[in-house]
């Protein structure tokens, strides 16, 4: 079955520290991959997406993600976290050419210590 | 500006009542989706529609109903058959093709049973 796994439920980092949020997928072929961010009580905002090509993808708010086929991973990174980055982050995937229904991970709650 | 509008932002339901959540988009997207979000469970798909007058059940459709009479609108009815309706509900839409692939989300409706 197709699935997306975010192994970390909660992560706490200090402001100014680097961040890496993990995401692993299980699909027959390389899926389309996405990262979304959700502030409390709000909808989800797209940070970045990967379809093919360059495995390092740049997104909004200074985030980037690296696709690693050998590890079935699509980890989200930021070199220096700001207090405003505290939110919940969701990884998602969709089968290429197989319709546009996304499968979401269960999310990682990021807390930023000042 | 184009986007998705969900209303109301907060909704209270008495036991045994049906309630309808509104979702309208002006993005000219073909596909629309309803998700339920509960703490620690990520996003679970309730219903989705890829074309007007057609929709499919998602993973947790029991106790819910939808209609798709217009491309712009995809209302969700939470019926009295839904035993635990208190949750945060998110509507999303997507284009089916190309670089627009990926969802645009509304800001959500929080439903509480009183």
């Amino acid at each position: 079955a197709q699935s997306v796994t975010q192994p970390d439920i909660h992560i706490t980092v200090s402001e100014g520290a680097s961040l890496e949020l993990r995401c692993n997928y299980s699909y027959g072929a390389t899926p389309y991959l996405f990262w979304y961010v959700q502030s409390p009580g709000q909808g989800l905002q797209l940070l970045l997406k990967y379809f093919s090509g360059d495995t390092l993808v740049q997104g909004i708010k200074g985030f980037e993600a690296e696709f690693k086929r050998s590890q079935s991973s699509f980890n989200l990174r930021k070199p220096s976290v700001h207090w405003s980055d505290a939110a919940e982050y969701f990884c998602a995937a969709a089968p290429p050419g197989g319709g546009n229904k996304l499968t979401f991970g269960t999310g990682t709650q990021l807390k930023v210590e000042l | 500006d184009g986007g998705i509008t969900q209303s109301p932002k907060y909704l209270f339901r008495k036991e045994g009542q049906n309630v309808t959540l509104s979702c309208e988009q002006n993005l000219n997207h073909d596909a629309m989706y309803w998700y339920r979000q509960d703490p620690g469970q990520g996003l679970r798909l309730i219903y989705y529609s890829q074309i007007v007058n057609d929709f499919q059940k998602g993973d947790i459709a029991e106790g819910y109903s939808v209609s798709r009479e217009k491309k712009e609108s995809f209302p969700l009815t939470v019926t009295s058959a839904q035993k635990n309706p208190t949750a945060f509900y998110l509507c999303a839409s997507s284009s089916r093709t190309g670089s627009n692939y990926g969802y645009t989300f509304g800001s959500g409706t929080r439903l509480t049973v009183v």
Side-chain angles (χ1 to χ4, degrees), chain A residues 5-70:
Chain A
T5 302
Q6 293 180 249
D8 304 306
I9 298 173
H10 296 98
I11 283 185
T12 300
V13 298
S14 298
E15 189 176 37
S18 63
L19 171 70
E20 183 169 30
L21 302 182
R22 295 184 291 165
C23 173
N24 294 96
Y25 62 88
S26 176
Y27 275 74
T30 299
Y32 297 157
L33 294 161
F34 307 82
W35 274 100
Y36 287 85
V37 61
Q38 184 183 33
S39 298
Q42 298 297 316
L44 276 67
Q45 181 183 21
L46 180 66
L47 287 175
L48 47 78
K49 56 190 175 185
Y50 172 78
F51 292 165
S52 64
D54 192 346
T55 57
L56 187 62
V57 181
Q58 301 298 320
I60 63 171
K61 301 176 185 270
F63 285 93
E64 65 180 25
E66 185 172 13
F67 168 68
K68 292 186 177 180
R69 186 190 307 275
S70 61

Side-chain angles (χ1 to χ4, degrees), chain A residues 32 34 36 38 41-46 49 51 88 90 94-107, chain B residues 9 31 33 35 37 40-43 45 48 50 88 90 94-96 98-103 105-108 110:
Chain A
Y32 297 157
F34 307 82
Y36 287 85
Q38 184 183 33
Q42 298 297 316
L44 276 67
Q45 181 183 21
L46 180 66
K49 56 190 175 185
F51 292 165
E88 189 156 22
F90 291 92
N100 53 4
K101 189 158 66 76
L102 295 187
T103 297
F104 286 85
T106 51
Chain B
K9 190 170 179 64
Y33 312 81
Y35 284 88
Q37 188 176 22
Q41 297 195 47
L43 280 71
L45 183 63
Y48 65 103
Q50 296 186 327
F88 190 55
L90 286 163
S94 73
S95 171
R96 292 173 64 87
S99 61
N100 291 325
Y101 202 105
Y103 291 4
F105 280 87
S107 57
R110 184 164 299 281

